[in-house]
Amino acid sequence: MDSQHLNPSSLKSRFTARFLRALIKINAQKPISSSSPREIFQRYRRIKVAADKSMAYSVRSRRTWSRATLWKLRSRSRRRLASSGRRSSIKTRTTTTTTTTTTSTNHRAAIVEKTSHEKENKEDHVGLAVQAEELRELVPGGESMDLCNLLDETAHYIKCLTTQVQVMKKIANLYSLE
Amino acid sequence: MSSRRSRSRQSGASRITDDQIIDLVSKLQQLIPELRGRRPDKVSASKVLQETCNYIRSLHREVDGLSDRLSQLLASTDTDSDQAAIIRSLLM
């Protein structure tokens, strides 16, 4: 167990505090029959949204990807409030869209690899632009970024995702010790 | 190659230079466990982008899995603010 003393204003601390508060709130909403599969699934969804939301809030609007995430979350909750019935389930972009794009972009990527190899591995912007399409779908707000910003935002996004995973893992391990 | 570069320099102040892209790509490479140890000039930019996509997807899957695990754990425990305070002090 690493005994690092965390800076209270660090991203990790801010995320941890927010996420824990959200978990307490989610747990407080537990009904009597808290172990039905449906309940567990709903809780899973709430926890996942809380995790992404906590991270985006901890980054605030300093980054394009966090702004995009926050905007998406807010417009989603506004839609939900507006409509009386339950909308269709949250389509996670990762699981649904990437399965369909993977096959086509892998094919494209193979072609790009071949042509770039012919140019002795020197990438030009056209080749990277094709490759970046896949990345744009994975990084929130990626569609509207130029290549430079996309690469920069991606680096920050990955750092935040790894922090998120790290903290969630620690919390899960601590809970499973109870 | 040089003609392309000079062409891009001519067309406007905010042109993305090749060097900028190379810098950003190598910065990305260092974040990806798969590619971290390898020399930047040995790994093509398109490979870095490909591995970046794979890595992000695997991180998303991990978040999903952990959310799932947490939802099961929350079902079985009775968390109150004391427990959360303990956890917070352990994490910080």
Side-chain angles (χ1 to χ4, degrees):
Chain A
M1 207 48 108
D2 35 296
S3 52
Q4 39 180 186
H5 289 284
L6 282 168
N7 176 7
S9 59
S10 74
L11 178 72
K12 198 176 193 175
S13 310
R14 292 201 308 271
F15 168 72
T16 307
R18 271 207 178 82
F19 184 53
L20 280 175
R21 274 203 297 270
L23 280 182
I24 294 171
K25 231 200 279 187
I26 291 172
N27 207 46
Q29 294 163 5
K30 228 167 36 171
I32 317 280
S33 60
S34 63
S35 313
S36 72
R38 191 162 178 272
E39 277 302 320
I40 292 183
F41 179 72
Q42 290 203 357
R43 219 181 353 256
Y44 147 74
R45 260 173 44 187
R46 281 198 205 115
I47 291 175
K48 182 169 175 350
V49 169
D52 292 339
K53 204 180 195 179
S54 301
M55 184 47 87
Y57 267 112
S58 302
V59 175
R60 271 178 240 275
S61 44
R62 288 201 302 270
R63 282 282 168 175
T64 310
W65 74 260
S66 61
R67 283 197 298 271
T69 303
L70 291 173
W71 188 87
K72 209 189 310 169
L73 287 168
R74 284 191 192 123
S75 59
R76 192 188 289 161
S77 65
R78 247 182 267 131
R79 272 205 314 271
R80 200 171 279 157
L81 285 172
S83 68
S84 47
R86 213 156 248 266
R87 292 193 78 95
S88 56
S89 60
I90 299 167
K91 206 156 96 153
T92 40
R93 303 157 93 211
T94 50
T95 46
T96 49
T97 42
T98 43
T99 41
T100 47
T101 52
T102 308
T103 40
S104 57
T105 42
N106 271 345
H107 190 60
R108 259 187 287 163
I111 298 171
V112 170
E113 294 261 31
K114 215 199 294 177
T115 48
S116 61
H117 214 280
E118 283 159 3
K119 288 181 194 146
E120 287 161 29
N121 262 352
K122 180 68 169 130
E123 300 295 333
D124 62 346
H125 297 174
V126 178
L128 279 188
V130 170
Q131 199 74 43
E133 279 311 296
E134 215 183 328
L135 192 56
R136 282 179 200 282
E137 294 181 21
L138 290 169
V139 177
E143 313 83 24
S144 52
M145 298 176 200
D146 63 49
L147 185 60
C148 242
N149 281 320
L150 178 66
L151 295 175
D152 190 44
E153 291 280 325
T154 303
H156 190 265
Y157 184 54
I158 287 181
K159 275 190 216 152
C160 293
L161 272 180
T162 49
T163 302
Q164 191 176 327
V165 165
Q166 204 182 22
V167 173
M168 287 175 82
K169 235 184 241 178
K170 262 198 194 162
I171 294 179
N173 288 337
L174 283 168
Y175 271 126
S176 51
L177 287 176
E178 296 291 330
Chain B
M1 196 93 65
S2 53
S3 61
R4 194 184 302 133
R5 225 179 254 146
S6 55
R7 210 189 303 141
S8 58
R9 260 197 221 127
Q10 282 165 8
S11 43
S14 57
R15 275 321 272 182
I16 300 171
T17 64
D18 286 348
D19 287 336
Q20 260 184 293
I21 301 282
I22 292 172
D23 273 346
L24 288 167
V25 168
S26 73
K27 193 171 102 175
L28 259 185
Q29 190 193 325
Q30 297 311 307
L31 292 173
I32 302 168
E34 285 272 313
L35 305 172
R36 196 173 295 163
R38 295 161 60 177
R39 280 175 45 189
D41 55 347
K42 299 283 192 191
V43 187
S44 73
S46 102
K47 176 94 171 129
V48 173
L49 286 193
Q50 186 62 50
E51 289 301 324
T52 305
C53 293
N54 293 338
Y55 188 48
I56 292 182
R57 268 188 232 118
S58 79
L59 286 172
H60 284 162
R61 278 198 302 268
E62 269 199 271
V63 170
D64 265 353
L66 285 166
S67 305
D68 192 39
R69 199 172 142 203
L70 279 172
S71 68
Q72 313 259 1
L73 288 169
L74 280 188
S76 50
T77 59
D78 246 327
T79 322
D80 57 356
S81 19
D82 289 333
Q83 272 188 357
I86 294 172
I87 290 172
R88 205 178 307 186
S89 63
L90 280 171
L91 286 172
M92 312 210 184

